[in-house]
Amino acid sequence: MSGHSKWATIKHKKGALDAKRGKIFTRLIKEITIAARTGGGDPDGNPRLRSAILAAKAENMPADNIKRAVQRGTGEIPGLQYEEISFEGYGPGGVAIIVDATTDNRNRAVSEIRHSFSKHGGNLGEPNSVRFMFSKKGVIAVSKDVADEDTLMGIVLEAGGEDLNDEGDTWEILTEPNSYEAVAQAVRDAKIETVMSEITMVASTYTKLEGAVAAQMLRLLDALDDNDDVQNVYSNLDIDAKQLEEVAG
């Protein structure tokens, strides 16, 4: 696999193989609640909330669920108080990992995430030990079956996108975070279906793993993904798509 955002592609191919809708909804509700708490309940004036609501709608979350999550965030109705924590560390083979958690119990989250790293051949690092390798970007992936390069390049140039990468069976549009919504809307307006569309962390360099070490790394990612406190996991893992499917399957 090649290109700047290969982990975004890996993550979503992996997610397509073992998606758990309940977990997706839980994460989205937490994100909406935090966004409303920190920036207010009006999505027009709160870009983080606006993005979270769009992501929830893309997963077909009922409107009532979205409304209640916003109201919990603004304090209109009671709910758990969440705290955001970020972890950095290394997985098997030296793969850099960032874990974002949203939890109502900090001690539990720290203990469980530390345990996952140590159990699966990784170790937690100090703050900023790996974050310098990543930058926040909008990533919009489109199957090559539904759009050609010229069409997407036109959207990138007109809507303010940054780059268009060939990722094998998909095209991936990269944007700066402040341009993401405009580019994503341009893709929707063109009636182009996306494989993924989100603001994520994109690594500047990648670590290629194979064989048993790659399998161990995927087990670590699974353990982190299965943690109810974990919102997002970012990595600079590069792995052959065939092995990814074999291990995930």
Side-chain angles (χ1 to χ4, degrees):
M1 303 181 75
S2 61
H4 298 293
S5 51
K6 58 169 66 74
W7 169 239
T9 303
I10 290 168
K11 181 175 69 170
H12 280 266
K13 285 185 176 179
K14 182 174 179 298
L17 294 167
D18 60 4
K20 304 177 183 69
R21 180 163 296 276
K23 185 66 179 288
I24 293 170
F25 275 18
T26 299
R27 288 176 171 171
L28 288 168
I29 286 169
K30 284 184 178 181
E31 174 62 15
I32 292 169
T33 301
I34 288 277
R37 190 187 77 194
T38 57
D42 179 9
D44 290 335
N46 184 343
R48 180 176 177 181
L49 178 60
R50 186 164 62 247
S51 294
I53 290 174
L54 286 173
K57 288 180 176 178
E59 294 292 342
N60 298 312
M61 181 182 289
D64 283 348
N65 294 42
I66 295 172
K67 181 180 178 181
R68 285 194 297 272
V70 172
Q71 290 175 326
R72 279 193 291 270
T74 58
E76 294 175 65
I77 60 175
L80 293 173
Q81 292 299 308
Y82 295 117
E83 176 184 4
E84 293 183 288
I85 318 171
S86 187
F87 303 85
E88 300 177 41
Y90 290 93
V95 170
I97 303 172
I98 296 175
V99 180
D100 289 338
T102 302
T103 181
D104 60 339
N105 187 324
R106 183 185 184 92
N107 290 339
R108 179 191 67 215
V110 172
S111 174
E112 291 182 353
I113 290 171
R114 186 183 302 279
H115 175 72
S116 293
F117 269 87
S118 61
K119 180 179 179 181
H120 298 285
N123 59 280
L124 283 177
E126 296 297 320
N128 299 315
S129 57
V130 304
R131 190 171 293 274
F132 69 92
M133 303 181 194
F134 296 81
S135 56
K136 186 172 285 190
K137 298 285 183 182
V139 180
I140 303 167
V142 175
S143 171
K144 288 185 175 178
D145 295 335
V146 301
D148 59 58
E149 184 177 13
D150 289 343
T151 299
L152 291 175
M153 184 57 75
I155 290 173
V156 170
L157 295 174
E158 291 178 19
E162 182 177 295
D163 202 359
L164 179 66
N165 295 320
D166 184 341
E167 292 289 340
D169 56 355
T170 61
W171 300 109
E172 285 190 4
I173 299 171
L174 283 184
T175 79
E176 289 296 328
N178 58 6
S179 304
Y180 166 73
E181 286 190 40
V183 178
Q185 186 62 52
V187 172
R188 288 192 294 270
D189 290 345
K191 303 282 193 295
I192 297 172
E193 183 179 352
T194 62
V195 176
M196 61 166 284
S197 181
E198 66 180 18
I199 294 177
T200 186
M201 299 292 282
V202 175
S204 56
T205 60
Y206 287 84
T207 299
K208 181 68 178 285
L209 297 186
E210 299 177 342
V213 179
Q216 186 181 31
M217 178 64 198
L218 290 175
R219 287 193 293 272
L220 171 56
L221 295 174
D222 276 339
L224 294 170
D225 281 336
D226 285 341
N227 188 308
D228 287 340
D229 289 325
V230 171
Q231 286 288 95
N232 292 295
V233 181
Y234 308 108
S235 163
N236 71 341
L237 170 67
D238 185 10
I239 180 175
D240 181 80
K242 183 177 179 182
Q243 181 172 10
L244 172 66
E245 293 176 8
E246 287 174 354
V247 174

